[in-house]
Amino acid sequence: MTKRRIIAFIGWILAALILVVGIGVLNQKPIAAQSNTTIIVSAAASLKDALDEIKTAYQKVKPNVTVTYNLGASGTLQQQIENGAPADVFISAAQKQMNDLQQKNLILPDTRHNLLTNSVVLITPKNSNTVTSFKSLTSPNVKRIAVGEPRSVPVGQYTEEIFKNLGILEQLKPKFTYGNSVRNVLAAVESGNADAGVVYATDAKISNQVKVVETAAANLHSPVVYPIAVLKNSKNPAAAKEYAQYLQSANAHSIFTKYGFGIAK
């Protein structure tokens, strides 16, 4: 009897250990799932190449955080956010869109700051010699000028300011072909569907199919500043704040400057 009791006792202990270990394994699964976070970054289209490289670098620092980009015209992204589209971080190519969201109480004000700067340039197809300056766009030889849609694309707003300050806006308007993002404007010039276009210096830098004819003087348009902020309806505000802070790091700055952006002060 004593031997049987000992065997039974040992069996009971082994069963209990198996049960405890099994529960522990089951409990680990939800914890692992919770450690994986996805954040959505709605950002100006002109940031695409720099943000793609930063995403790779950030993945090494935060392997459990997946960064998803929603790239487009800042005005379009603003409207999406106002209509409830999911997003955690917003990076605009102008202050106007961020100001509008802040006025509607849709961002966390203490997370807003100026991230980058840029310049505005006039470009033509690489082998074209028709356009030599902004003012030369008035020539009858220039038929089509690609510009951003000013109601939603910040570079289009800067473009109108430049032409207005040069006194040639109304004269050029009949030649405008509108793009729904700065990359759309770039593509129109690359393809030869436009004789010239106005984009950011960073967009011209990534293309080997266009050339910069002239850089707009700073006094001809509002400063090109990219503000960033975490959105109030973010589902992962802690992860969003960490990502936004990373964009201010030396590593992120080196990538931004590699693509031609200036660092806002």
Side-chain angles (χ1 to χ4, degrees), residues 1-16:
M1 292 293 293
T2 302
K3 187 175 181 180
R4 289 181 179 177
R5 287 180 179 178
I6 291 172
I7 293 172
F9 181 71
I10 293 172
W12 180 83
I13 291 175
L14 289 173

Side-chain angles (χ1 to χ4, degrees), residues 2 28 54 60 73 79 86 93 127 178 190 216 222 227 237 242 252:
T2 302
Q28 287 177 1
I54 286 174
K60 296 176 182 178
Q79 291 176 354
N127 297 321
Y178 294 101
E190 287 179 326
S222 304
E242 284 188 351

Side-chain angles (χ1 to χ4, degrees), residues 41-164:
V41 179
S42 288
S46 53
L47 293 166
K48 181 186 184 306
D49 300 273
L51 288 183
D52 282 344
E53 186 168 333
I54 286 174
K55 179 179 180 179
T56 301
Y58 192 66
Q59 200 70 54
K60 296 176 182 178
V61 179
K62 295 286 183 179
N64 293 326
V65 177
T66 300
V67 179
T68 300
Y69 293 132
N70 175 30
L71 302 170
S74 299
T76 301
L77 299 176
Q78 175 199 337
Q79 291 176 354
Q80 291 175 359
I81 293 167
E82 290 176 351
N83 291 330
D88 299 284
V89 178
F90 179 46
I91 312 175
S92 174
Q95 299 286 10
K96 179 183 181 299
Q97 291 75 27
M98 192 68 78
N99 290 341
D100 289 346
L101 291 183
Q102 184 164 354
Q103 288 172 3
K104 295 177 181 178
N105 200 28
L106 294 176
I107 69 169
L108 297 176
D110 61 333
T111 66
R112 177 179 178 173
H113 67 270
N114 293 333
L115 182 66
L116 304 167
T117 63
N118 213 334
S119 55
V120 182
V121 299
L122 175 64
I123 61 171
T124 64
K126 194 171 184 179
N127 297 321
S128 173
N129 296 311
T130 303
V131 177
T132 56
S133 66
F134 282 105
K135 289 188 176 181
S136 73
L137 293 172
T138 59
S139 167
N141 294 326
V142 178
K143 306 297 183 182
R144 293 167 63 86
I145 305 168
V147 299
E149 164 53 60
R151 290 172 297 182
S152 60
V153 185
V155 76
Q157 297 158 16
Y158 298 128
T159 300
E160 283 204 342
E161 289 179 7
I162 293 167
F163 291 152
K164 185 177 180 180

